[in-house]
Amino acid sequence: MNWYEDGIKKHRQYQLAGLASDIDILHPQFAFNILKLFIDARKEGLKICIFETYRSQERQLDLFNKGKTKLSKNGMHHFGIATDIVFRNEKNHPIWQGDWAALGKIGKELGLYWGGDWESFRDYPHFQLIPATASDQAKVINGDYPQCDDKVKDYVQRLLPYYIAVIENNYADHKFDTLIQCYENLFTTPKAEVIKEPEPEKVKIAVKTAEEKPGTETIAKPRETKIEGLIYLVINFLNKWLKRKQ
């Protein structure tokens, strides 16, 4: 799958010169991991926001000229596998002060690579899907993306409306709770339907009803069968006795 051709170039923010924060422009596996990071950080009491996802080449060059990045082009943001995550203040505005170590730990536990581990340039807000090596990044630049299960794509589509509702409602608690519940429901196995056996009393009633219906064949009860057999023997004996008398 070449996500750059299939997803990014077709997205409405592809040529955006400013800040982009849409989740659906990210590679689906990476988008799912970022949403999970967002949820896990909430559970850990960290107030974060997904600040920047995709980045156009124009914006990449602008940030390079301002000394905010070491790359002038071909950054992993541009290929949908990198995202910057920062903290929020009391008014839910983005800030760059917070427990970076705790945030980095959550991201790495999800299999992401954290810019806070880079020795040459500590980029604490930065998370990406693949290692920050020239060979790994060259594969993505050439269109060789990691594979992604269709099930993960479905998960992202199901979570996105609830994530957007969180943002649009200024990170309201009840919207967060709904997002978390939606995530947990993704992995809930539906309970198998249990077929209850009918109660004995109900079975008796059903049999009796069937016997009372006209034209319905019924099986003779054992006691009735025995009596009929005795009557037959008696009649047969009497017939033989009468013949001898004659």
Side-chain angles (χ1 to χ4, degrees):
M1 175 184 67
N2 186 341
W3 180 247
Y4 189 75
E5 295 293 334
D6 299 340
I8 294 175
K9 279 190 172 182
K10 298 176 182 178
H11 197 275
R12 61 186 176 278
Q13 291 190 333
Y14 173 59
Q15 294 182 324
L16 183 67
L19 184 73
S21 59
D22 281 13
I23 299 290
D24 61 347
I25 196 171
L26 298 175
H27 180 277
Q29 182 61 62
F30 184 56
F32 181 68
N33 288 345
I34 290 297
L35 287 168
K36 181 67 166 63
L37 192 159
F38 185 71
I39 290 169
D40 287 351
R42 163 73 176 189
K43 292 179 179 179
E44 294 295 324
L46 300 178
K47 296 178 62 175
I48 65 169
C49 70
I50 299 173
F51 183 70
E52 184 172 24
T53 53
Y54 170 76
R55 186 180 293 165
S56 66
Q57 293 289 19
E58 292 79 5
R59 178 167 169 76
Q60 184 72 33
L61 180 60
D62 181 59
L63 292 174
F64 173 78
N65 291 333
K66 293 177 180 178
K68 294 183 178 181
T69 179
K70 294 293 185 180
L71 295 174
S72 60
K73 62 179 181 178
N74 290 337
M76 291 298 99
H77 285 273
H78 185 66
F79 294 92
I81 59 168
T83 288
D84 286 346
I85 297 176
V86 299
F87 294 92
R88 293 179 285 119
N89 62 16
E90 295 302 320
K91 295 183 178 181
N92 290 319
H93 296 159
I95 57 174
W96 278 254
Q97 297 81 38
D99 192 344
W100 292 111
L103 182 60
K105 180 182 178 183
I106 294 172
K108 290 190 289 184
E109 287 176 348
L110 294 172
L112 300 178
Y113 295 87
W114 181 43
D117 287 334
W118 298 346
E119 295 182 0
S120 59
F121 177 67
R122 302 280 183 182
D123 193 354
Y124 293 105
H126 185 94
F127 292 88
Q128 65 181 52
L129 181 63
I130 64 171
T133 63
S135 59
D136 285 301
Q137 295 182 160
K139 290 180 181 179
V140 170
I141 293 170
N142 291 325
D144 186 9
Y145 279 80
Q147 293 299 314
C148 181
D149 195 312
D150 286 340
K151 181 169 61 177
V152 173
K153 297 177 184 178
D154 177 63
Y155 289 166
V156 172
Q157 292 305 312
R158 290 165 65 180
L159 288 171
L160 272 177
Y162 298 99
Y163 167 75
I164 293 171
V166 171
I167 306 306
E168 290 179 345
N169 288 272
N170 201 28
Y171 301 89
D173 290 341
H174 69 284
K175 293 299 182 181
F176 253 120
D177 293 341
T178 305
L179 170 63
I180 293 171
Q181 185 61 57
C182 176
Y183 173 79
E184 293 174 348
N185 288 344
L186 296 177
F187 308 100
T188 301
T189 304
K191 294 182 179 179
E193 183 179 353
V194 178
I195 301 176
K196 294 183 178 180
E197 294 185 4
E199 298 176 9
E201 190 63 32
K202 292 182 179 179
V203 173
K204 292 179 182 178
I205 295 172
V207 172
K208 184 177 180 181
T209 303
E211 291 175 348
E212 291 172 355
K213 290 181 180 178
T216 303
E217 293 185 5
T218 58
I219 300 173
K221 297 180 181 179
R223 181 178 176 81
E224 293 174 348
T225 303
K226 187 175 182 181
I227 293 172
E228 290 173 359
L230 289 173
I231 294 172
Y232 173 80
L233 290 174
V234 171
I235 293 172
N236 189 45
F237 173 80
L238 291 173
N239 285 335
K240 289 181 179 180
W241 183 80
L242 289 172
K243 285 181 180 180
R244 287 177 184 175
K245 287 292 184 178
Q246 293 173 357

